[in-house]
Amino acid sequence: MDPFLQAAIDEARLGLSEGGIPIGSVIVHQGEIIGRGHNRRIQSGSPTLHGEMDALENAGRQAAAVYRECVLYTTLSPCSMCSGAILLYGIPKVVIGENRTFLGEEDLLRSRGVEIEVIQDPECIRMMEEFIAARPELWNEDIGE
């Protein structure tokens, strides 16, 4: 298992243990995690604290040159908002744990030159399938349905 994807999974588990949606993310620069986060919409009452956004927030202010050398790991395919942030900050590569339960804006990211790697990790898939089955109202609220 890739240790950075494992760190994102650990973040997703933490979010679930807090009563939130199990999506986690880490931002890696030159082999080091500079930001980590998980979906905290429920916990914080926030419309924007998705896993990727939380990881960006926790990375703090970075120079544009740093973002251009980062890899973002996320347990779930990034939504429109998170994909916009990836593009805004010029993050060149995204590693996605799974896109079976939700297919985000991967085509948009690819069209703008972002390298996308999809793992289809069984743990990522299991966490989301179980969450969606158990809490469909929270999942549907999160993805705007």
Side-chain angles (χ1 to χ4, degrees), residues 101-143:
T101 60
F102 176 76
L103 179 59
E105 297 293 335
E106 295 174 27
D107 287 342
L108 170 64
L109 292 169
R110 282 188 193 97
S111 78
R112 299 281 296 275
V114 177
E115 180 184 349
I116 301 293
E117 181 181 344
V118 181
I119 305 297
Q120 301 303 13
D121 178 78
E123 176 67 6
C124 293
I125 295 167
R126 183 194 63 74
M127 272 194 300
M128 286 309 302
E129 286 179 344
E130 289 178 2
F131 180 82
I132 292 167
R135 302 298 307 268
E137 73 287 356
L138 290 180
W139 173 243
N140 290 329
E141 173 189 316
D142 194 50
I143 61 170

Side-chain angles (χ1 to χ4, degrees), residues 35-111:
R36 57 175 63 231
H38 52 275
N39 187 302
R40 293 191 302 122
R41 277 189 354 78
I42 305 305
Q43 302 91 309
S44 299
S46 168
T48 58
L49 274 181
H50 286 194
E52 300 90 335
M53 303 300 280
D54 193 38
L56 280 164
E57 181 70 20
N58 291 327
R61 292 176 58 202
Q62 301 291 330
V66 171
Y67 291 119
R68 288 194 295 266
E69 296 176 341
C70 285
V71 179
L72 184 143
Y73 289 76
T74 181
T75 58
L76 186 65
S77 186
C79 73
S80 303
M81 175 179 64
C82 296
S83 294
I86 290 163
L87 294 175
L88 177 68
Y89 293 106
I91 296 171
K93 181 175 180 177
V94 178
V95 178
I96 299 167
E98 69 104 348
N99 64 6
R100 291 184 187 170
T101 60
F102 176 76
L103 179 59
E105 297 293 335
E106 295 174 27
D107 287 342
L108 170 64
L109 292 169
R110 282 188 193 97
S111 78

